[in-house]
Amino acid sequence: VESGQAFEPVQFGRYLLVERLAVGGMAEIFRAKIRGAHGFEKTLVVKRILPHLASGEQFIKMFIDEARVMQQLNHPKVVQVLDFGEEEGQYYIVMEYVEGLDALGLLRRCAQKRCRPTTGITVHILAEVLDALDYAHNLTDPESGQPLGIVHRDISPSNIFLSGLGEVKLGDFGIARGAFRESQTEAGPLKGKYGYMAPEQVDGRQIDRRADVFSVGIVLAELLMIRRLFMAKSDLEILLQVRDARLDRLDRYGRHIPKDLRRIVESALARDPEMRYQDAAAFRDALHRYLFDNRRMVRSTDVRRFLMRLTDLERPAPSKLPAPPIKALDPVKDTSTDETDPEDTTAVVRAPSRKRKRSATEYAQHSRGKESQHRLASSSVPRISEESTTTAPQGALPFAASGTPAGFSE
């Protein structure tokens, strides 16, 4: 839960807490700075256990477990832990600061601007997450060589970070399961975000790495649709949808997803773990194969340019310049195919840009109406309807003009 309260910088041990970024159920997260000799300064993230939980033995064990997990994960696609300690009776974890936004912020921006990343960008982001998961799932104890059995259990958009350089990093192993944990999982409340759990998690069955595969499938579907996959009026209804792996919203809002990619998504979202990809590597390889078969090569620089384009959409037009003429585009009628230019992997998908040949009758009607439309535009700015938008960028995908997608608006 993002904190909107004002915060005054405060010294906390060696670290200056500059800004409170978020407050969760167990800890609060700060943007912090550490200073050294000759003007050295580095921005970090400090995750500090909440004051009223600092004396709770169970919460302290969970917090220590998280630090213990993350300090062993030395991978470029995993948020790195740099320090762990106790100050003034409060335990804290110091992590690298990823300057950019998380996937939840990306979903919210796209929902508000009625746009989405190209399919190639989306597939690349989740393939990077799966690469990090494959590393974590197969991590072994450095001394005994025994598998640690790490399962993240909390894959969600808010734990996937996109840096300004286009890097993708996975973070927050706070409720990860592993053989080394002091606070072992017991029967009780569900742990994780309801809309991103696996069916076996909801049923209380034993989970393994395939639960993370299901959760990544959820995030992939949501980034493709810019809509929540499991959404209802109550938590109980959401849990029932997850338990039954109901893909009604994917059927309704995912018609534009290419068929070969749709099969990959459905394989990851199979209710029976035996019918899913059996590990993160198999899921990742399927996504890479999709990109290869469709001649799409996406790199971190493409993600960076996409984020820059998304930021450009938020900048207001200069007030001194006249507004460009507004063109009304035809509403989307068929979004079953993906027509993004394979070379344009950074395109922001905004509005329907599909063109078709007009019949002789339509061409005549268009020509007769063009003069009256010009007079209307010169006399007053026309009202923008739900099916009107500015000209879409070259190579853009059709975007269903059905209002702001629900579930990600702030």
Side-chain angles (χ1 to χ4, degrees):
V1 179
E2 294 185 3
S3 175
Q5 300 177 355
F7 180 79
E8 292 293 332
V10 60
Q11 195 71 34
F12 181 70
R14 297 189 299 146
Y15 306 100
L16 176 66
L17 307 182
V18 177
E19 177 187 3
R20 181 157 58 182
L21 301 175
V23 180
M26 188 175 70
E28 51 189 346
I29 300 175
F30 300 89
R31 182 169 63 88
K33 291 184 178 182
I34 184 171
R35 293 188 171 97
H38 302 287
F40 172 83
E41 183 177 279
K42 187 174 181 63
T43 301
L44 305 162
V45 168
V46 172
K47 184 174 185 178
R48 184 175 68 181
I49 195 167
L50 290 171
H52 66 279
L53 301 177
S55 58
E57 183 178 350
Q58 182 66 18
F59 289 103
I60 291 176
K61 284 183 177 180
M62 291 175 61
F63 201 71
I64 293 174
D65 282 339
E66 179 181 358
R68 201 175 267 153
V69 173
M70 297 194 68
Q71 65 90 20
Q72 298 187 67
L73 299 173
N74 186 19
H75 192 274
K77 296 168 189 174
V78 175
V79 175
Q80 297 296 288
V81 166
L82 307 174
D83 191 14
F84 173 75
E86 181 184 5
E87 183 72 27
E88 301 173 2
Q90 289 181 283
Y91 285 93
Y92 65 89
I93 301 172
V94 180
M95 299 172 284
E96 68 171 310
Y97 177 66
V98 181
E99 187 173 0
L101 75 166
D102 58 24
L104 179 59
L106 172 64
L107 285 164
R108 284 175 172 169
R109 290 189 184 188
C110 289
Q112 291 165 0
K113 301 299 177 182
R114 299 185 69 248
C115 64
R116 65 170 176 263
T118 62
T119 303
I121 291 287
T122 298
V123 170
H124 170 79
I125 290 172
L126 273 302
E128 296 288 273
V129 172
L130 288 164
D131 203 34
L133 271 179
D134 178 51
Y135 166 79
H137 288 165
N138 292 289
L139 196 65
T140 58
D141 185 273
E143 296 181 1
S144 67
Q146 294 298 313
L148 293 176
I150 294 176
V151 181
H152 191 287
R153 297 199 300 172
D154 195 22
I155 301 293
S156 66
S158 60
N159 293 332
I160 298 170
F161 302 94
L162 309 174
S163 79
L165 297 176
E167 303 164 310
V168 181
K169 291 178 179 284
L170 177 63
D172 200 348
F173 284 75
I175 63 170
R177 195 203 68 184
F180 50 83
R181 293 185 68 99
E182 289 187 7
S183 56
Q184 295 298 327
T185 302
E186 301 175 356
L190 290 171
K191 293 184 178 180
K193 300 176 181 69
Y194 293 162
Y196 298 93
M197 291 181 175
E200 58 269 28
Q201 232 173 323
V202 176
D203 283 342
R205 290 177 280 156
Q206 185 69 25
I207 65 169
D208 55 27
R209 59 183 66 184
R210 294 173 296 185
D212 287 344
V213 167
F214 189 91
S215 299
V216 173
I218 295 174
V219 180
L220 174 59
E222 293 187 346
L223 274 172
L224 289 169
M225 300 187 299
I226 311 297
R227 294 176 185 270
R228 293 291 300 270
L229 180 60
F230 299 114
M231 188 175 180
K233 294 181 179 179
S234 68
D235 290 341
L236 177 59
E237 291 178 277
I238 292 176
L239 287 172
L240 292 176
Q241 289 179 8
V242 173
R243 184 198 65 183
D244 299 333
R246 290 178 52 186
L247 305 182
D248 302 352
R249 290 175 64 81
L250 183 63
D251 294 335
R252 182 176 179 183
Y253 300 114
R255 291 191 298 270
H256 63 280
I257 301 174
K259 291 181 180 179
D260 47 352
L261 181 57
R262 175 66 182 261
R263 285 193 292 269
I264 294 174
V265 175
E266 290 177 346
S267 295
L269 294 174
R271 186 180 188 278
D272 183 358
E274 296 294 333
M275 302 301 293
R276 288 178 217 149
Y277 294 107
Q278 295 301 289
D279 52 44
F283 191 2
R284 175 201 61 202
D285 292 346
L287 294 178
H288 283 162
R289 194 177 306 113
Y290 166 79
L291 292 175
F292 179 81
D293 291 344
N294 288 273
R295 300 181 180 181
R296 299 186 180 188
M297 184 176 68
V298 184
R299 298 155 297 184
S300 58
T301 53
D302 299 316
V303 178
R304 177 178 62 84
R305 285 197 293 266
F306 160 70
L307 295 177
M308 291 174 63
R309 288 192 183 190
L310 186 62
T311 303
D312 289 342
L313 291 179
E314 298 181 345
R315 294 174 181 169
S319 57
K320 295 183 179 180
L321 298 177
I326 298 174
K327 292 186 178 181
L329 301 182
D330 294 335
V332 175
K333 295 180 180 179
D334 178 15
T335 59
S336 60
T337 58
D338 184 349
E339 294 186 350
T340 303
D341 182 358
E343 299 300 322
D344 189 6
T345 56
T346 65
V348 175
V349 180
R350 285 207 71 176
S353 61
R354 179 175 300 175
K355 295 182 179 180
R356 62 181 180 85
K357 294 182 179 180
R358 294 188 179 95
S359 66
T361 304
E362 289 175 323
Y363 188 85
Q365 292 174 347
H366 173 74
S367 299
R368 286 196 299 269
K370 195 169 184 180
E371 183 178 354
S372 59
Q373 182 182 4
H374 176 73
R375 288 197 300 268
L376 177 61
S378 61
S379 59
S380 62
V381 177
R383 187 185 303 274
I384 303 176
S385 67
E386 289 185 355
E387 297 174 351
S388 301
T389 180
T390 55
T391 305
Q394 183 179 3
L397 280 174
F399 184 80
S402 55
T404 302
F408 298 113
S409 57
E410 296 183 282

